[in-house]
Every structure is written in structure tokens, then in C-alpha cells.
Amino acid sequence: MSTQPTYDQLVTLPAFAVQPVPTAFEDFNGFLNVRHYLGIGSEGLDESLYDVGISQNWPIASGFACLSAEHHLTYLHELKTGDEMSVRVRLVGRAERAAHAVVYVLDDTNQRVACVFEEIFLCVKLDERKTAPWPPGVAEGLDKRVAEHAALGWEPALSGSLALR
């Protein structure tokens, strides 16, 4: 198994979806229920895309949307109710109609990586409900972010099960 980036490496990335683990999200053991890791990570990914041209109102403003196509999740440490958590995102690639991201859910209370997931997300033209090429401004924003992340000095540990086509 590949070694994940360290907490110290990841906290250099912007923090998204910063919050304590809410009581409403706990399982019977007092930990964050497994079903919420993906939701919290997805919220952070959505927030991270704002600066590349994909805002919350992007579907209304442009007629385009981002839809998830694939995920691969790895759980490393449990988060307990009340633990502070944040999401960090690394974009690893872009194709004409898709992008590849690695999303890290961090346990900021204990300074460790709780969950990692890879995601392939697609550009979809809403009126047709079909994939479409990224609009030029968004494509440029994604490419710039991918290049910035490639220069970080550490590599993400990829599952090998997801790839851009």
C-alpha cells in the first residue's frame, strides 16, 4: 500500500468544509458515521472549485454542472464527535470532459489524515444531460490548479483504480 501524504504536508493546502464532527453525524459508537465522510469531502471539493470558475450557481449561470462518476475511498483513522475536521483537495489531472481529484478529510484535533478519496468528476451540459468539454475559462482554471498542485513537492498516493479517459 502506498504511503499517504502527511498531515503537515496537507495543511499547506487551503482548508475547506472546516467544522467539528456534529453529534447528528455520529454512529452508535460516538464516531463519525462512515456515510458522512464522502459528503463532507464532497462539500470541500465543491468549495475548492470556486476559484477555478465553478461556483455554487454554476449550473444556473452557465447550464453546466459537475457530476461525480467514480470514487475510491480509504479510511485511515476515525473521527469522534466534536473533533475538528477540514478538507484539503489536490487536483491531479484534467481531460476534455473530466477531472481527477484527491480529497483528504483531516482530523485537525489529532493532526492526522482520517479519510482519503479519489474522485473523477465530469462536466455535464444540463439541458442535454450529457458530458461536454469544460468551458475555456474553467479548463484554464483547472489546468492552472493541476500545475500548482504538481509543484507541491510531494505526490498523492493514488489507488490505481481511477483514471481519466
Side-chain angles (χ1 to χ4, degrees):
M1 181 174 177
S2 299
T3 302
Q4 294 294 336
T6 66
Y7 178 87
D8 289 337
Q9 289 170 316
L10 292 168
V11 295
T12 65
L13 294 169
F16 301 100
V18 178
Q19 60 192 296
V21 175
T23 303
F25 284 14
E26 75 180 24
D27 61 18
F28 293 116
N29 300 309
F31 293 98
L32 180 62
N33 190 292
V34 68
R35 69 178 176 245
H36 296 293
Y37 285 88
L38 183 60
I40 292 162
S42 292
E43 178 183 333
L45 175 58
D46 289 349
E47 290 177 18
S48 79
L49 296 175
Y50 181 84
D51 289 342
V52 301
I54 302 171
S55 62
Q56 278 189 327
N57 71 339
W58 194 52
I60 295 165
S62 69
F64 290 97
C66 288
L67 297 182
S68 299
E70 298 181 70
H71 293 98
H72 181 277
L73 286 84
T74 303
Y75 300 97
L76 301 168
H77 295 283
E78 294 178 303
L79 282 157
K80 294 186 301 204
T81 302
D83 285 345
E84 291 294 325
M85 61 182 164
S86 63
V87 174
R88 312 304 167 115
V89 176
R90 179 164 176 170
L91 291 182
V92 295
R94 180 189 71 84
E96 181 186 32
R97 298 166 183 256
H100 186 179
V102 183
V103 178
Y104 303 90
V105 179
L106 300 186
D107 174 349
D108 294 314
T109 297
N110 296 295
Q111 298 187 342
R112 60 189 182 186
V113 182
C115 176
V116 178
F117 71 84
E118 282 181 77
E119 179 172 329
I120 300 292
F121 59 96
L122 308 173
C123 180
V124 173
K125 186 77 170 132
L126 285 175
D127 60 351
E128 300 171 12
R129 297 300 283 183
K130 293 185 179 185
T131 61
W134 294 105
V138 172
E140 291 167 16
L142 289 168
D143 289 343
K144 181 180 176 193
R145 181 70 49 83
V146 168
E148 289 169 359
H149 288 175
L152 286 172
W154 54 268
E155 292 298 319
L158 301 177
S159 68
S161 63
L162 277 73
L164 292 170
R165 303 186 267 269

